[in-house]
Amino acid sequence: MNNQTIFDNFLKSYEDKTYKYPTLVRHKGTVIAFAMDNERHIHYTVLDLSDSDENKGPIDVEYWSKNPSKLHFSNEIAQVGYGLVGATRMPTVKKGTLTEDKPENLNLDEIDDFLSTTARLTADAPFQVLSDDQYIYVFRQSIADNDPNIVYKLTRLEGGGSSGDTTNRQDSEFVLSGGNKVPLVNNTLLLDRFILGGTQLQPKMEVRYKRSRNKTQPANSKDSLGAKDIEGKAFYEPTQELDFVQQLQGGRFQVLLLPTQIANIKRWQVFAYNDATSKIDSFNIERAGDGLFNTKGTIYYTSPDAEYQNAIFQRRPGVDSFTNQELVPILNTKSGAESALSFDGTDNYVDLGNPSELQITGSQTIEMWVKPLSLANRQSLFCKAYNG
């Protein structure tokens, strides 16, 4: 007996894999569907109503992609708010193995596209897709630090980067904190941006310094900006880690792009369930000019007497054209949550690493605020340790 109903004629089904966590987004009038398979690969399919094939008929279901396409992620990851540090490269893994190698030793078709990119950092949890009609934003939860696919940061002596090979590498090759290896992610929020070209999603390219491969720091005075490095390899935007969105579980988060009272200015709003506190964390972040996150924030300026009728609003310092008085900054006087380090006064300290490492990209400034609990005993706040 055929149990098919008339509604089944309007459904598009893909049976090549077992899919879960489906979600839809409309981008420039085009509908795109996303889902994850049982191996944590994210796939997408496009409803292409511009297809001129007359044999498809009038029903929309015929215009979905014939087969889903796999979403390809970046082979680099960067922490939001740490632009000076630059991106961290994922390990390069040979296809069909767990063996890590240098990128130049393998051909493109020999590289595992999952284990060699941030795709391996995707948690088995619901994800979210958002469009601003310029880019498609894919937000996903990262795996935990004890996941078998986790990778750890390598020291500068190893050229930076990361590795998941903990058996064939010495501990001295890894960045250590308290004697433990530092994982790249740990139940945090990840973001990748894509551009829709026809029916294919392509990673967003970006401009960096050609020699240093850093977005903000040149290697030297001769370094210049470009879309490719000096070897002709294109720069793609790295996966962005919002590491302040922590303790995610089960993909229980929501990201919104909210308008403000200022024309063409929007802000990111993130709600996330914190598994450690069993509460919902709320983050409201200024949207940067490139569409990402401005964690530093922008100071706006207004007239000294903001109550008078001709009070003005400016994005930079200046003079009020009506009163000829200097504009004053608009400061938020409301208190907000902050974070700090607490020391017990015995053996706790902050290790900034090798001082010469900090000078690689020029002079640096280290800034801190200190609140001593007692001034009874004079103690040394700063010290240098040298290995003799």
Side-chain angles (χ1 to χ4, degrees):
M1 181 177 179
N2 189 357
N3 295 324
Q4 187 175 11
T5 67
I6 190 173
F7 296 104
D8 293 327
N9 296 325
F10 299 92
L11 297 177
K12 179 66 175 180
S13 299
Y14 298 101
E15 299 179 355
D16 58 321
K17 296 179 180 293
T18 300
Y19 294 102
K20 52 188 174 181
Y21 315 134
T23 184
L24 291 170
V25 68
R26 186 174 64 181
H27 178 72
K28 296 182 179 180
T30 299
V31 177
I32 309 173
F34 296 79
M36 184 184 295
D37 65 21
N38 284 341
E39 296 179 332
R40 296 184 293 116
H41 298 272
I42 296 179
H43 302 259
Y44 68 94
T45 177
V46 179
L47 181 61
D48 183 17
L49 297 178
S50 64
D51 193 334
S52 59
D53 188 350
E54 297 179 355
N55 296 325
K56 290 190 174 181
I59 303 178
D60 289 358
V61 68
E62 301 295 335
Y63 292 84
W64 285 104
S65 305
K66 184 178 180 180
N67 296 300
S69 299
K70 186 185 296 184
L71 197 61
H72 296 282
F73 291 95
S74 173
N75 61 359
E76 294 179 307
I77 185 171
Q79 286 180 283
V80 172
Y82 295 83
L84 185 66
V85 178
T88 301
R89 188 177 181 89
M90 296 290 293
T92 302
V93 181
K94 187 175 182 179
K95 188 178 296 184
T97 71
L98 297 177
T99 304
E100 297 179 5
D101 204 339
K102 295 181 179 180
E104 56 268 22
N105 294 341
L106 299 174
N107 297 323
L108 287 178
D109 58 354
E110 295 180 305
I111 298 176
D112 191 306
D113 188 52
F114 182 77
L115 295 178
S116 303
T117 68
T118 62
R120 72 185 289 172
L121 304 180
T122 305
D124 187 357
F127 57 97
Q128 182 186 347
V129 184
L130 182 149
S131 168
D132 64 356
D133 281 337
Q134 183 178 10
Y135 304 113
I136 293 175
Y137 298 73
V138 178
F139 291 90
R140 54 197 166 111
Q141 177 185 323
S142 77
I143 57 178
D145 59 358
N146 59 355
D147 191 280
N149 287 285
I150 197 66
V151 292
Y152 302 91
K153 295 182 181 181
L154 294 177
T155 64
R156 285 184 178 271
L157 296 178
E158 287 292 321
S162 59
S163 173
D165 184 2
T166 59
T167 58
N168 296 323
R169 286 184 178 271
Q170 303 294 325
D171 283 351
S172 59
E173 299 179 77
F174 292 94
V175 176
L176 301 178
S177 176
N180 299 317
K181 301 178 182 66
V182 177
L184 276 184
V185 295
N186 184 18
N187 289 330
T188 50
L189 187 61
L190 305 180
L191 163 65
D192 292 85
R193 295 196 293 182
F194 299 88
I195 297 174
L196 180 63
T199 59
Q200 297 295 313
L201 290 178
Q202 304 293 337
K204 179 187 175 299
M205 296 183 66
E206 72 173 11
V207 174
R208 303 184 193 176
Y209 284 99
K210 296 180 181 180
R211 296 179 182 274
S212 69
R213 297 184 58 87
N214 191 291
K215 190 175 181 179
T216 58
Q217 295 295 316
N220 50 49
S221 59
K222 296 182 179 180
D223 208 349
S224 60
L225 293 169
K228 297 180 179 180
D229 64 12
I230 57 176
E231 297 178 354
K233 297 180 181 178
F235 292 130
Y236 291 97
E237 187 173 83
T239 296
Q240 307 290 312
E241 183 200 12
L242 287 77
D243 64 339
F244 48 85
V245 184
Q246 302 177 353
Q247 304 295 336
L248 287 176
Q249 287 294 328
R252 284 178 280 184
F253 66 87
Q254 183 68 41
V255 183
L256 303 170
L257 195 54
L258 303 179
T260 66
Q261 293 179 331
I262 308 171
N264 300 322
I265 297 295
K266 294 185 178 181
R267 296 186 67 88
W268 290 104
Q269 176 64 53
V270 181
F271 295 103
Y273 173 77
N274 189 316
D275 188 60
T277 63
S278 298
K279 296 180 180 180
I280 295 178
D281 295 332
S282 174
F283 304 90
N284 191 271
I285 313 154
E286 180 179 323
R287 192 186 191 203
D290 61 0
L292 292 176
F293 306 90
N294 181 9
T295 55
K296 184 178 179 180
T298 301
I299 297 178
Y300 298 100
Y301 296 82
T302 188
S303 307
D305 184 4
E307 299 298 328
Y308 86 100
Q309 184 177 1
N310 293 322
I312 64 175
F313 180 90
Q314 296 289 343
R315 301 183 183 182
R316 55 184 60 87
V319 176
D320 189 326
S321 58
F322 293 97
T323 64
N324 290 325
Q325 292 181 306
E326 291 286 337
L327 299 178
V328 296
I330 302 175
L331 302 178
N332 185 2
T333 58
K334 297 180 180 179
S335 59
E338 301 290 347
S339 60
L341 298 174
S342 178
F343 299 96
D344 59 11
T346 55
D347 58 354
N348 286 352
Y349 65 93
V350 174
D351 185 357
L352 299 178
N354 187 346
S356 63
E357 297 275 348
L358 299 176
Q359 301 297 326
I360 290 180
T361 57
S363 60
Q364 305 291 336
T365 300
I366 299 173
E367 183 176 344
M368 66 183 69
W369 289 265
V370 180
K371 182 182 179 181
L373 297 179
S374 173
L375 297 176
N377 299 319
R378 295 176 60 88
Q379 296 181 348
S380 175
L381 184 61
F382 302 98
C383 66
K384 292 183 179 180
Y386 296 96
N387 294 323

